[in-house]
Amino acid sequence: MNSFERRNKIVDLVQQNGSILVSDLSNSFGISEVTIRADLRLLEEKGLLIRFHGGAARPGSQLEQEAEVPKTTGEVILEERYQLAKDPKKRIALKAAAMVNPGDTVILDSGSTTMLIAEELVKMGNITVITNNLPAAFALSDNKDITLVLCGGTLRHKTRSMHGSIAELSLQGIAGDVMFVGADGLDATNGITTFNEGYSISGVMAQAAKRVVAVVDSTKFGRRGFNLVLSMSQIDMIITDTGISSADRQALDRAKPELVIV
């Protein structure tokens, strides 16, 4: 089945069922979720379906209304998009992408929230994105007006991202305007930590960027992994959601980074 036939089949499935999940489509067609998301993005641009986090719905369906997904008939202003996005990670991604200006060089680390940022950045043009995040790179490759730079290195299958000395060496001489980094855990004392080995590439990315922005949903606060990714002193801004506790908010208010809640 070629891509044209596959996309027609996706439209048929959405029309028949009202909605469908990315994971189900991936299993059904035997292709990656990244490819399915690219299909859904193209179909949404044509007005044939409405995307939501994790799937797609038939335009005008009850699910679309319940999910408060913005319709494709007319541009929704940014403030309304924050309200429309129920998923905290989506709101965070929208805020992060809004910080990027034409001509900027963006460094994008691995992770689910940075992937959502990539899905917003692909709608822009005249930017450069440097990333070790393979799903994000695939999404960004749809826009020929984006200069896309991939880090080489060793693939970490769990996160589908590139790491190791080759990846770090590929960042030498790079100067970025902003870096977006996610987290397994974050606290005001230790900064960003992970439960995985070998995240030194994040530190190299941070050194190459004028500004480091942590994109962290509120569930990650108070969690502490055994490996340090970035200390609090290396982070300029934290974007999180309204689920952050008052205690975590007070702790971060005393720390260096600017705190933005969406």
Side-chain angles (χ1 to χ4, degrees), residues 78-256:
L78 189 59
E79 290 76 8
E80 291 175 342
R81 292 176 76 192
Y82 293 150
Q83 297 172 1
L84 289 166
K86 279 192 170 183
D87 183 353
K89 288 187 178 183
K90 185 66 172 179
R91 295 201 305 271
I92 292 167
L94 286 166
K95 181 64 175 179
M99 295 173 56
V100 178
N101 299 308
D104 280 354
T105 295
V106 179
I107 302 175
L108 204 60
D109 206 349
S110 60
S112 57
T113 306
T114 50
M115 174 61 198
L116 291 173
I117 294 173
E119 290 183 350
E120 295 302 316
L121 294 179
V122 75
K123 303 170 187 176
M124 302 177 62
N126 188 27
I127 61 172
T128 298
V129 180
I130 302 165
T131 187
N132 68 331
N133 186 330
L134 295 188
F138 187 90
L140 291 163
S141 67
D142 281 346
N143 188 340
K144 64 181 181 180
D145 293 324
I146 292 175
T147 300
L148 181 61
V149 181
L150 303 183
C151 299
T154 303
L155 175 67
R156 175 170 286 129
H157 290 277
K158 183 178 179 181
T159 56
R160 288 186 288 174
S161 56
M162 308 305 291
H163 295 266
S165 59
I166 295 175
E168 293 166 25
L169 285 170
S170 69
L171 291 164
Q172 285 190 355
I174 294 295
D177 293 288
V178 60
M179 173 201 180
F180 294 115
V181 57
D184 286 339
L186 188 150
D187 66 78
T189 301
N190 299 287
I192 295 175
T193 55
T194 181
F195 298 97
N196 298 304
E197 294 286 348
Y199 266 80
S200 55
I201 190 172
S202 300
V204 178
M205 287 178 165
Q207 290 175 1
K210 294 178 183 176
R211 197 175 194 195
V212 176
V213 179
V215 286
V216 186
D217 68 87
S218 58
T219 64
K220 306 296 179 62
F221 288 99
R223 298 177 64 191
R224 182 179 179 184
F226 51 79
N227 275 326
L228 179 66
V229 177
L230 292 177
S231 66
M232 194 59 72
S233 64
Q234 294 174 281
I235 304 168
D236 299 295
M237 176 185 287
I238 297 171
I239 305 177
T240 190
D241 60 88
T242 53
I244 184 173
S245 69
S246 57
D248 285 328
R249 183 169 182 172
Q250 289 173 9
L252 289 170
D253 282 342
R254 294 190 294 269
K256 173 195 170 186

Side-chain angles (χ1 to χ4, degrees), residues 38-58:
D39 287 343
L40 297 181
R41 182 167 55 252
L42 290 172
L43 293 171
E44 183 182 46
E45 289 173 357
K46 294 179 179 179
L48 297 173
L49 52 76
I50 299 293
R51 286 190 302 156
F52 59 84
H53 187 55
R58 184 175 59 236

